[in-house]
Amino acid sequence: MERPDVDGLNTGYAALLLEQYLDNPGAVPEEWRDLFESEPEVLLRRQPGLARLLERAAADGDGHVLPAAPAPPRPAEPAPAPAPPETAEDTELLGGVAAAMALVKAIRMHGHLAARLDPLGSEPPGDPALEPERLIPKLTPELQARIPASLLRLHVEGEMLADALPRLFETYTGTIAYEIEHISDHEERVWLRQAIESGRYRRTLSSDERVRLLRRLSQVEGMERYLRRAFLGQKQFSVEGLDVMIPMLDEAIELAAAGGAHEVVVGMAHRGRLNVLAHVVGRPYETILREFEGERTIEAVVSTDEGGSGDVKYHLGAQGTRSTPTGDITITLVSNPSHLEAVDPVVEGRARAEQTDRSSRQGYHDPAVALPVLIHGDASFAGQGSVAETLNLQALPGYSTGGTLHLIANNQVGFTTDPESGRSTRYSSDLAKGFDIPIVHVNADDPEAALAAIRLALAYRRRFGHDVVVDLVGYRRHGHNEQDEAAYTQPLLAGAIEDHPTAREQFAARLVADGELTQEQADQLEQDVLAELRRAHETLKETFGRPEPAPRDDTHVPGATGDEVVTAVAADRLRALNEQLLRIPEGFTPHPKLMRQLERRRETLESGGIDWGQAEALAFASLLVEGIPIRLTGQDTERGTFSHRHDVLHDVSTGATFTPLQHLEGAGAAFEIHNSALSEYACVGFEYGYAAAAPEALVLWEAQFGDFVNGAQIIIDQFIAAGLSKWRESTRLTLLLPHGYEGNGPEHSSARLERFLQLAAQENLRIANCTTSGQYFHLLRRQALDATARPLVVMTPKGLLRLKQAGSTLEDLASGEFRPVLDDANPDRERIERLVLCQGKVYYDIVGHEERENGPRVAVARLEQLYPFPTERVKAVFAAYPNLREVVWAQEEPQNMGAWRAIRHRLEETKPEGVPLLYIGRPWRASPSEGYPTAHLREQDRIARAALGL
Ligand SMILES: Cc1ncc(C[n+]2csc(CCOP(=O)(O)OP(=O)(O)O)c2C)c(N)n1
């Protein structure tokens, strides 16, 4: 990069470039950008005429580069002109201004590197750009006294730079530090600078507030100490070292309530959770002590008839109500598994559901209604991918929660792993920078600064509706848990911590020194807490040995079969809905080819051939007019991966969209549909959380191909499948997973049915694979209307979406119900010696085989619901064939996959005695399918022939 020739430059041209630069730094050639940014004083000395413009840059307070836009072609070089005359004094002043600009910029950008963030006192790394001495030749004290602070748009107190500069330095390098200069939005940056430098969120606490804060810190510390002494060696994952986290949450709750929220949804891991349960959610000490005593609590999971396994005490969710000066507010601590950060998207989904009014056709989202708060570990924030996936949802229209407060409980160690081994970045929070999120670092030993950080964070959220991160830098007073010896692996740290006074002790000393209270009063606060805990413990002990309360009646929650649900919809109503779905507003022009396709739905309704897309739309429409809200998301879901849905239409000339399902006459429920981010983990987690908080809604997530759902395996295993048993939490979340062997290779064939069947027990799930669109229609309606909520996993088709034989008639939808088993339609049952039972698409491969008629003694039945296994119905099918000689399970999946291994014992139990059960399908395979279409066809043909006994 060549430096521009400053001396031989035309001032007019330079001014033009500078003007352009000020508007958009990316618009000027790189060498000029570099000159303006790195050494403006060189330019000024030679070109004093530019001084005014440069001052404007300073006045904008925006002396740093925005993300570079592609530079336009460089204008032709104008002829050089002589530089105008200059005085030595001007040059000196301008040099001073330029140096001050550089310093201000450095302080704002890099001040955090010199901040005192570590309570244990480690030296901050610093940065040469922050050393004023370096600039002193150009920015002498005399010059500092001559440059007005307003020229540089500083918001700290002080009229002249000489007064303002030290304050600016202290603001950015104290016990609280900021990373905001990476934010791409100019307005946000300017707002943040103003908020930070004006100190309006760092107000001094009143004497009462300070004493209240000390009392809170005493409760936090007292509880941890009491538990440790009373239950030696039991895991409590103490918060000590980050004690101020609890008052920070108090502050956040009060601010949320003041902003109109009726709920705060909190997600967190083990660290400090018991303290949050007691002091933030408001669980009585007694219930927590009961857990430690090994007793079951009333609030916690009780062993249910489904054999609820319960969960460890530091995973249990809880709900409480807090009163604040502006009214009561609900605090929901979301149940979570050990899997760190898995709860993040679940909290977001829950918050979104709370924020959404689903009683109108398009729904109404108000982010002020609920505040999501995520508390992260420093190791997990940097290491776990779900964090990034969740951050990426923050500004998407279908997912935004108006900003999440992220609190990193940064104890500077992850179990026994030091940060140097756990992340490649300086800060745990660095990932957030890529999402345009402001980051506030704060020293956990300065409680007043920590509260200020929360005030700033929530003011930002309220103003801009984006996520914000507070990195609370503390330490871990003990080992990872109470059974660990920290000194084995972090001996120096452990030693330093042992000598380090607690946050309460330090704050008490400060208040005593400031004359706010006496040492005795401070000690008394601590004693009060211990006395309260002792009292609670004694009261609890008195209940020991008393008979246990009878189990509650509602502990048995059977996974109802849904038989009593009416899923058929009157033909006339379906006709009317079908018409409405084809009604397009005047002046709106969808793609003509698409419209022709959709209009065919009029014919199919009357003459048969209702395909999947139509059956689904009719199921949705009928539910909406019955008042059931629907939320459907997934990758490319609006159109449908296989172009079969088209719930959202696009105007060919304007690009505007129209969603007929949002305009149904008389519908009193919202239809939400969104194409999702390219994520499975966070997106499925989000929908799980949404569905848990919106039990009245039908919430569906669709995989692009079912194969990709294993990206969300943690959500499936830990929440969807086990949530009922661990936390008594169930949802009607519905997973639509395209599944079927159609020659598209190992990653576009299998939704891993076997995994879901393996997870199915105690009626925790419903698993189905429909072979007709009518069955799908009834299944969806049943799922939405069944009084008992259970997650539903549907293996959905690809080729079958439009297969004629898989289509249904109006009569199919207007009568009947979802049938878990479909018997062969052949009435001549006497003749049948072999009954083939199968599920899904392979049915059509078998019955559609060119040599089907060569197997006249073979009947083919379909198992449409795989779990709960419809035992009685399958038995009835077997019983209908008096001359059976063999039962065959046929599947297209390999023997170690598909349904076989999970349902074999069911088939053994239900088949007639003495009749053998045979397996036909792909052999044991490490990869789900062949990679080559011809190999696939050969294998499908072999399976169909074998099933038919050919
Ligand atoms: C996904 C996942 N991987 C591994 C673990 C095991 N584990 C439990 S705590 C922990 C360290 C967490 O460190 P950090 O996030 O800094 O939180 P801290 O315990 O220090 O508060 C690990 C690795 C886990 N719980 N979840």
Side-chain angles (χ1 to χ4, degrees):
M1 188 169 60
E2 222 175 276
R3 171 173 296 289
D5 175 11
V6 179
D7 290 330
L9 182 73
N10 176 311
T11 307
Y13 173 57
L16 184 74
L17 285 176
L18 185 54
E19 278 280 13
Q20 284 178 357
Y21 169 82
L22 294 175
D23 281 343
N24 173 11
V28 301
E30 197 184 341
E31 59 274 24
W32 280 96
R33 201 161 55 235
D34 186 59
L35 183 70
F36 292 145
E37 282 164 11
S38 61
E39 295 181 77
E41 66 277 20
V42 174
L43 184 69
L44 280 169
R45 209 175 309 122
R46 309 287 160 81
Q47 296 283 340
L50 299 181
R52 254 185 329 101
L53 286 170
L54 207 59
E55 279 173 21
R56 203 192 104 195
D60 277 352
D62 208 12
H64 94 283
V65 192
L66 297 171
R74 202 175 166 173
E77 284 287 339
E86 60 191 65
T87 69
E89 200 185 353
D90 272 355
T91 308
E92 191 192 20
L93 185 62
L94 288 170
V97 170
M101 271 178 65
L103 185 58
V104 165
K105 177 176 143 189
I107 292 172
R108 285 171 171 166
M109 267 187 95
H110 307 302
H112 58 90
L113 293 171
R116 299 186 305 280
L117 294 174
D118 181 4
L120 302 175
S122 66
E123 270 304 304
D127 190 276
L130 295 170
E131 292 160 12
E133 308 78 50
R134 248 175 28 106
L135 297 165
I136 284 297
K138 290 172 202 141
L139 192 59
T140 58
E142 296 72 39
L143 277 177
Q144 288 189 34
R146 282 177 58 203
I147 300 174
S150 60
L151 185 69
L152 297 162
R153 271 286 161 90
L154 303 183
H155 308 284
V156 288
E157 277 181 26
E159 205 175 317
M160 305 311 271
L161 193 60
D163 303 322
L165 209 48
R167 293 197 177 108
L168 191 75
F169 198 78
E170 180 51 32
T171 299
Y172 282 96
T173 64
T175 48
I176 183 165
Y178 310 89
E179 288 185 274
I180 56 162
E181 296 294 332
H182 57 280
I183 291 182
S184 62
D185 184 83
H186 178 256
E187 189 194 346
E188 290 189 27
R189 262 191 336 266
V190 171
W191 184 92
L192 281 160
R193 284 186 203 128
Q194 213 270 336
I196 291 164
E197 294 168 21
S198 68
R200 68 172 181 269
Y201 298 102
R202 294 212 62 176
R203 66 178 176 82
T204 323
L205 298 186
S206 70
S207 185
D208 271 2
E209 286 173 320
R210 296 180 96 199
V211 173
R212 214 176 314 138
L213 181 52
L214 180 62
R215 182 175 298 122
R216 201 55 158 158
L217 291 172
S218 306
Q219 288 171 335
V220 173
E221 186 184 305
M223 175 174 155
E224 299 288 3
R225 286 193 168 181
Y226 186 88
L227 292 177
R228 196 164 40 253
R229 271 208 306 270
F231 305 101
L232 200 68
Q234 278 210 45
K235 288 183 191 176
Q236 64 191 67
F237 294 107
S238 147
V239 77
E240 288 157 285
L242 293 163
D243 310 51
V244 73
M245 189 170 102
I246 306 300
M248 287 166 88
L249 291 171
D250 292 338
E251 187 77 16
I253 289 164
E254 294 210 350
L255 289 169
H262 66 63
E263 183 161 348
V264 175
V265 188
V266 183
M268 70 181 299
H270 49 283
R271 179 78 48 215
R273 192 174 177 113
L274 297 178
N275 226 302
V276 168
L277 274 173
H279 297 130
V280 178
V281 182
R283 271 269 212 111
Y285 285 147
E286 202 188 310
T287 63
I288 291 170
L289 292 164
R290 190 192 292 270
E291 292 271 358
F292 275 88
E293 290 286 0
E295 297 278 311
R296 298 183 318 208
T297 66
I298 309 301
E299 290 85 347
V301 177
V302 286
S303 180
T304 66
D305 285 1
E306 292 85 37
S309 59
D311 203 350
V312 292
K313 48 188 162 289
Y314 40 85
H315 288 166
L316 295 175
Q319 206 163 51
T321 306
R322 289 267 300 251
S323 13
T324 74
T326 36
D328 285 359
I329 185 164
T330 303
I331 315 298
T332 303
L333 178 62
V334 178
S335 298
N336 65 285
S338 278
H339 294 61
L340 294 165
E341 308 292 348
V343 79
D344 299 1
V346 177
V347 167
E348 298 300 327
R350 232 178 204 287
R352 171 80 183 202
E354 294 299 341
Q355 295 169 346
T356 305
D357 175 359
R358 288 176 288 279
S359 65
S360 64
R361 290 185 291 196
Q362 288 166 36
Y364 175 68
H365 175 232
D366 179 2
V369 169
L371 169 71
V373 177
L374 288 177
I375 303 172
H376 311 270
D378 52 312
S380 41
F381 190 83
Q384 290 292 309
S386 75
V387 176
E389 287 196 23
T390 307
L391 291 178
N392 187 43
L393 301 181
Q394 69 148 326
L396 307 182
Y399 296 82
S400 165
T401 51
T404 297
L405 172 63
H406 297 271
L407 190 60
I408 302 182
N410 186 350
N411 55 21
Q412 309 192 60
V413 63
F415 207 152
T416 64
T417 301
D418 291 320
E420 298 75 44
S421 310
R423 60 175 186 258
S424 295
T425 54
R426 179 184 297 282
Y427 293 114
S428 162
S429 55
D430 280 338
L431 174 72
K433 277 200 210 166
F435 291 90
D436 243 9
I437 295 173
I439 297 157
V440 184
H441 304 280
V442 64
N443 184 319
D445 269 0
D446 186 345
E448 290 172 284
L451 297 192
I454 292 293
R455 283 194 287 271
L456 172 68
L458 288 186
Y460 170 82
R461 178 203 186 243
R462 205 167 161 184
R463 175 81 171 76
F464 296 105
H466 294 167
D467 284 18
V468 56
V469 171
V470 176
D471 176 24
L472 177 66
V473 186
Y475 57 91
R476 194 181 68 199
R477 184 154 286 277
H478 306 285
H480 174 64
N481 62 54
E482 285 58 31
Q483 295 156 1
D484 277 330
E485 175 50 82
Y488 288 169
T489 48
Q490 272 78 21
L492 303 184
L493 202 60
I497 291 168
E498 210 174 328
D499 298 335
H500 189 75
T502 69
R504 178 194 60 83
E505 285 164 354
Q506 292 181 56
F507 196 55
R510 209 181 309 163
L511 296 205
V512 171
D514 290 352
E516 310 273 23
L517 80 182
T518 64
Q519 187 61 50
E520 290 69 41
Q521 286 169 321
D523 294 344
Q524 191 55 46
L525 290 178
E526 194 192 356
Q527 291 310 316
D528 290 349
V529 177
L530 295 177
E532 197 186 333
L533 278 151
R534 257 195 306 274
R535 260 197 314 277
H537 206 168
E538 274 152 24
T539 314
L540 170 70
K541 283 179 178 163
E542 280 165 21
T543 67
F544 290 172
R546 285 192 201 154
E548 280 195 21
R552 288 189 310 200
D553 290 348
D554 65 349
T555 50
H556 180 76
V557 193
T561 59
D563 275 356
E564 68 281 9
V565 176
V566 177
T567 58
V569 178
D572 279 351
R573 175 174 266 199
L574 289 171
R575 280 195 188 95
L577 292 171
N578 197 54
E579 249 344 282
Q580 287 187 52
L581 291 173
L582 294 170
R583 201 189 293 157
I584 307 297
E586 195 127 331
F588 187 95
T589 317
H591 198 287
K593 207 165 104 196
L594 172 63
M595 220 39 224
R596 275 199 298 280
Q597 262 178 50
L598 292 176
E599 273 169 358
R600 247 178 260 141
R601 290 182 175 182
R602 276 198 190 96
E603 271 164 55
T604 51
L605 197 71
E606 298 307 333
S607 53
I610 296 172
D611 68 8
W612 238 263
Q614 187 176 9
E616 183 188 85
L618 289 171
F620 287 167
S622 65
L623 288 167
L624 290 166
V625 295
E626 288 170 44
I628 308 284
I630 297 171
R631 177 180 158 96
L632 170 61
T633 60
Q635 289 150 30
D636 310 289
T637 285
E638 293 178 4
R639 186 200 76 167
T641 297
F642 310 102
S643 199
H644 69 287
R645 178 172 291 125
H646 297 286
D647 281 349
V648 179
L649 303 173
H650 298 255
D651 185 287
V652 284
S653 47
T654 66
T657 60
F658 178 72
T659 306
L661 282 161
Q662 291 176 342
H663 295 85
L664 298 172
E665 284 163 21
F671 180 70
E672 254 198 277
I673 183 164
H674 304 284
N675 286 341
S676 77
L678 213 173
S679 138
E680 284 79 25
Y681 190 175
C683 286
V684 177
F686 190 99
E687 299 313 322
Y688 175 85
Y690 194 105
E696 86 291 4
L698 177 62
V699 179
L700 310 101
W701 178 83
E702 182 175 65
Q704 184 110 82
F705 282 84
D707 310 64
F708 303 113
V709 74
N710 57 7
Q713 201 63 45
I714 293 174
I715 302 295
I716 294 164
D717 293 345
Q718 266 59 42
F719 290 87
I720 297 176
L724 178 63
S725 179
K726 292 192 292 187
W727 315 313
R728 299 189 74 233
E729 181 172 278
S730 194
T731 69
R732 58 182 84 240
L733 176 62
T734 299
L735 303 183
L736 304 178
L737 310 178
H739 173 85
Y741 282 55
E742 299 182 3
N744 292 320
E747 278 84 42
H748 291 84
S749 298
S750 174
R752 302 287 190 171
L753 174 61
E754 62 278 3
R755 299 253 170 88
F756 292 98
L757 288 169
Q758 185 213 37
L759 294 170
Q762 301 172 292
E763 301 182 5
N764 63 335
L765 300 175
R766 297 172 182 145
I767 304 173
N769 190 348
C770 308
T771 52
T772 72
S773 64
Q775 282 277 84
Y776 181 53
F777 172 89
H778 288 292
L779 179 70
L780 286 177
R781 286 187 42 84
R782 191 186 86 174
Q783 175 66 359
L785 297 170
D786 198 321
T788 306
R790 283 291 182 278
L792 169 67
V793 180
V794 194
M795 300 287 123
T796 57
K798 293 170 281 186
L800 261 54
L801 290 168
R802 296 181 186 84
L803 185 77
K804 219 164 164 205
Q805 300 91 301
S808 296
T809 64
L810 180 60
E811 177 57 19
D812 292 331
L813 313 190
S815 62
E817 61 195 12
F818 173 74
R819 293 189 291 154
V821 188
L822 296 178
D823 197 358
D824 196 313
N826 183 354
D828 188 2
R829 288 161 199 258
E830 301 271 327
R831 202 149 70 118
I832 299 302
E833 292 176 356
R834 165 184 268 212
L835 176 65
V836 175
L837 203 56
C838 61
Q839 64 91 32
K841 185 220 93 197
V842 77
Y843 167 78
Y844 292 102
D845 292 344
I846 297 169
V847 300
H849 194 272
E850 56 195 10
E851 294 187 45
R852 166 71 180 101
E853 64 216 37
N854 295 337
R857 294 187 180 281
V858 180
V860 187
R862 287 164 272 177
L863 192 58
E864 303 267 304
Q865 176 172 303
L866 293 144
Y867 189 86
F869 187 82
T871 306
E872 293 312 313
R873 289 168 197 258
V874 173
K875 258 191 194 153
V877 170
F878 285 141
Y881 296 94
N883 300 317
L884 267 195
R885 295 164 70 107
E886 54 193 11
V887 170
V888 168
W889 174 258
Q891 66 176 32
E892 53 186 357
E893 300 87 351
Q895 194 165 351
N896 50 324
M897 301 175 193
W900 169 241
R901 289 210 291 168
I903 62 164
R904 180 183 186 167
H905 66 290
R906 299 283 187 197
L907 297 174
E908 296 281 4
E909 284 161 18
T910 42
K911 74 178 174 52
E913 265 203 48
V915 175
L917 171 67
L918 310 176
Y919 168 82
I920 289 170
R922 283 175 169 74
W924 286 61
R925 285 281 176 266
S927 168
S929 86
E930 304 75 23
Y932 301 99
T934 43
H936 157 79
L937 288 174
R938 215 178 304 129
E939 197 57 0
Q940 293 299 113
D941 185 60
R942 182 189 67 75
I943 291 167
R945 281 171 181 281
L948 293 168
L950 303 174

